[in-house]
Amino acid sequence: MDSHAATPAPGQHELVLNWLTEDRPEQLERLWHMADVTRARFVGDAVELCGTIKISNHCGEACSYCGLQFRNRDLHRYRLTPAQILGCAREAVQFGYRSVVLQAGLDGQLTAEWLGDIIRSLKKETGLAVGLSLGERSDEELAAWRKAGADRYYLRFLTADTNLYRLLHATASFGDQGRLPFLAKLKSLGYEVASGIIVGIPGQDVNGLAADIERIRALDLDAVLIGPYVSASEWRAMPASDAAYADVPPPALTALKAIALVRLLCPEADVPGTAALAAVGLADAPALALQRGANMLFPELTPRVCRTDYACYPGRVPLDELDYFNGRSSLRARLDELGRRPATEKRARRRSAAEASALSPAPRAEPELRVTVCMGSSCFSRGNNRTVTEIRDFIERHHLAGRAVLEGHLCTGMCKHGPNVGVGSETHSHADAAAVIELLRHHFSLKE
Ligand code: SF4
Ligand code: FES
C-alpha cells in the first residue's frame, strides 16, 4: 500500500454536478452500475414494499405542483372511515407487506385523537410499521401520533432554495430554513424521518439541485424521496411555462441520476421509486429506479373507487400504472425478473453517532480520525467493497463511533492508483482492508 498526502480531489459538489450534467450513455451506465452495486452491498436485494393508504384527499394547502390543492374545486373529495383504513391494512398483511403509509393532504379533520385511535388499532391488530404522510402538522398532533405508535414520517423538504420553495408554497408560512426545522422536530420526537426533493422545479438550476442532493446527505435521513416536478399548471399559482424545464436536463432522467447519487452518498437509507416517476412518462419506472439504487416501492392499497380522486398528478398516471404498483401478482413477477424479493423483516440501519446527530442544532464535533473510502466503481470492485465493511465493523467493535468517522466519496479520477482510502490527512493507494485496519489499530493504540 502506498501513501501520500491527500491530493486535492474534486469537491463533492463538483462531482455531483458532473454527474447531473453527464449525458454520455456509457458514463451513465457506469453511474447506474455503481449505484446498483452499492445498493446490493449496503441494503441487499430485498425490496421494502410499503402499502400506501390514501386516507383523505382534502387539503387546505395550495402547492403549485399538486392537484389536491384546495384551488382545484372540481375534484371530488373523500375521507376514508376508520373501518376502511383498517381493511386496507389487513390487505397489506395478506400481501406480506411489512409497513404501510397513511397519506393525506393537509386535512384539518384528521385530528390527533381520531388518527391516534386508528394508529393504535392498526398496530395492535396487524403489527405493521406505520408511516405518516400528512403534511406539516402541529407539535401536539405529531407527538400524539408518535405516542400512538407511528414509526416514520414522510415530508419532502422539496428544495433548500427558499425562493423556489416560496414559489411552490405560495400560501404556506415558512422561515428561512423552509421545512428543515420541521424535520429536526420529527427526529426529536423519535420518528424515522423520510424526506427529499423535487427535481426539475421551474427555475431550479443544476447547481441548486446539486446543493439539494448534498443537503440530503447532511440530513442523515432514514428514507430519501426523489421525484420529478410534475406540473399541475391548471391550478398552480406561478406562471406556467414549459420553457422553464430548460433550466435542468429532462426531469425524469435527472430524477434517476439523483436516485443513483443519493444511493452513493447515503448507502444505508431507504430510497423508493416514487409514483411521480411514472407520471412524467417514464416507462417501467419502478424497475428503472430499482436498478439505479432504489430499494423500496409504494404499492397502492387505497380502495379503487377513491384512487382517481387522489389526483396529485392530474391526468398523468394511467390506471395500468396504478395496477402495476399494486401488490398483486404483476409486481411479484417483476421483482422476480429483476432478481429482487419483497423484504420480510426490518433492516437495521447502522449509523455512526456523528451521522445520527446531523439534524441536531448542536454543531458536529470534528472527529479525531476521518476515514474516507472511494466508492467509485473501479476502487469499489477492486477491494473497497470489502474494506468499507471491515472498517465499519472495526469502528463498531471498538466503540470508536465518537472518535472515528467513516465516509464514502465518488471517483476522484485516481483510479489507476486504486483502491484508494484516506486515513486522516493521507491518501493510501493500492489499499487493502488488512493494511487499513492495521493503520486504525495503530492510531488508536489497540491490540486485537
Ligand atoms: S402537496 Fe400535500 S399539502 Fe400540498 S397541495 Fe398537495 S396534498 Fe396539499
Ligand atoms: S474509482 Fe476512480 S478513484 Fe476510486
Side-chain angles (χ1 to χ4, degrees):
M1 183 165 81
D2 313 322
S3 62
H4 45 88
T7 42
Q12 185 172 281
H13 181 80
E14 198 184 338
L15 288 166
V16 172
L17 206 55
N18 286 347
W19 278 118
L20 288 176
T21 50
E22 177 63 69
D23 56 7
R24 289 168 293 174
E26 68 283 2
Q27 287 300 316
L28 289 177
E29 280 307 320
R30 221 178 117 228
L31 176 62
W32 310 145
H33 176 71
M34 285 194 301
D36 199 41
V37 169
T38 305
R39 184 272 311 156
R41 179 76 194 139
F42 286 89
V43 298
D45 290 335
V47 177
E48 179 73 29
L49 298 177
C50 178
T52 303
I53 309 173
K54 291 165 175 159
I55 63 177
S56 163
N57 71 348
H58 291 266
C59 186
E61 252 287 14
C63 307
S64 58
Y65 51 88
C66 178
L68 297 194
Q69 57 175 280
F70 69 81
R71 292 189 178 120
N72 182 6
R73 308 218 183 272
D74 298 333
L75 186 67
H76 171 255
R77 304 280 173 172
Y78 73 87
R79 189 175 296 115
L80 299 186
T81 64
Q84 283 176 305
I85 296 169
L86 285 174
C88 296
R90 286 184 200 114
E91 262 199 84
V93 175
Q94 284 161 15
F95 289 138
Y97 302 164
R98 235 193 30 78
S99 57
V100 287
V101 56
L102 308 183
Q103 187 178 342
L106 199 59
D107 179 359
Q109 297 296 309
L110 307 182
T111 62
E113 195 182 6
W114 184 85
L115 191 62
D117 286 345
I118 292 172
I119 294 168
R120 265 184 290 276
S121 306
L122 197 159
K123 296 284 287 188
K124 187 168 171 208
E125 188 185 326
T126 67
L128 291 164
V130 175
L132 302 176
S133 175
L134 305 170
E136 292 177 66
R137 308 295 304 220
S138 72
D139 294 6
E140 294 71 30
E141 289 165 332
L142 294 172
W145 297 334
R146 174 75 188 127
K147 196 166 167 216
D151 301 279
R152 179 178 277 192
Y153 206 94
Y154 293 81
L155 186 80
R156 280 188 245 235
F157 67 88
L158 302 173
T159 169
D161 180 325
T162 42
N163 289 328
L164 284 182
Y165 187 81
R166 196 186 300 262
L167 282 173
L168 294 172
H169 279 266
T171 62
S173 59
F174 55 86
D176 285 348
Q177 295 274 296
R179 284 174 164 170
L180 300 181
F182 187 88
L183 301 184
K185 183 165 56 189
L186 291 174
K187 194 154 239 188
S188 71
L189 286 168
Y191 281 100
E192 290 181 13
V193 180
S195 187
I197 57 173
I198 291 187
V199 171
I201 302 166
Q204 184 182 50
D205 63 19
V206 280
N207 254 309
L209 182 54
D212 283 346
I213 291 173
E214 290 173 277
R215 178 62 68 102
I216 284 171
R217 184 189 196 213
L219 287 173
D220 187 33
L221 300 165
D222 296 287
V224 181
L225 310 165
I226 305 281
Y229 179 84
V230 181
S231 161
S233 56
E234 300 94 305
W235 304 294
R236 70 183 182 183
M238 70 179 87
S241 160
D242 279 349
Y245 290 125
D247 293 337
V248 294
L253 175 62
T254 309
L256 288 174
K257 287 184 193 172
I259 285 174
L261 290 166
V262 161
R263 172 56 68 207
L264 295 173
L265 294 170
C266 315
E268 292 197 2
D270 280 334
V271 181
T274 60
L277 284 170
V280 289
L282 204 57
D284 210 6
L288 286 178
L290 289 176
Q291 291 168 316
R292 286 152 177 72
N295 71 318
M296 184 176 187
L297 295 176
F298 292 109
E300 186 65 58
L301 290 173
T302 310
R304 283 186 171 269
V305 65
C306 301
R307 288 184 193 175
T308 45
D309 289 334
Y310 205 92
C312 277
Y313 315 115
R316 296 296 183 96
V317 185
L319 269 176
D320 59 354
E321 277 300 336
L322 289 175
D323 287 340
Y324 181 74
F325 265 94
N326 87 24
R328 296 160 176 94
S329 58
S330 59
L331 178 53
R332 304 287 155 153
R334 194 73 183 100
L335 288 184
D336 252 9
E337 285 166 18
L338 296 169
R340 309 288 283 276
R341 59 187 161 74
T344 52
E345 56 191 31
K346 182 166 174 57
R347 181 175 57 80
R349 186 175 166 234
R350 299 189 290 181
R351 289 187 284 180
S352 72
E355 280 177 326
S357 69
L359 266 180
S360 96
R364 274 210 257 175
E366 186 57 23
E368 181 182 327
L369 188 68
R370 197 175 285 278
V371 184
T372 53
V373 180
C374 180
M375 305 293 282
S377 58
S378 170
C379 291
F380 193 78
S381 60
R382 287 194 289 155
N384 276 1
N385 50 353
R386 195 164 74 87
T387 302
V388 76
T389 307
E390 296 214 5
I391 297 171
R392 188 206 315 266
D393 290 347
F394 181 88
I395 289 173
E396 280 192 2
R397 198 164 60 247
H398 295 286
H399 309 290
L400 294 170
R403 299 173 65 193
V405 164
L406 174 61
E407 293 177 337
H409 62 78
L410 304 176
C411 174
T412 57
M414 308 278 288
C415 311
K416 69 177 179 202
H417 303 296
N420 297 310
V421 177
V423 179
S425 60
E426 291 205 327
T427 297
H428 299 270
S429 43
H430 310 295
D432 67 67
V436 174
I437 293 296
E438 197 45 47
L439 285 172
L440 298 187
R441 203 183 295 291
H442 179 73
H443 178 92
F444 291 106
S445 308
L446 291 167
K447 298 191 178 73
E448 184 53 280

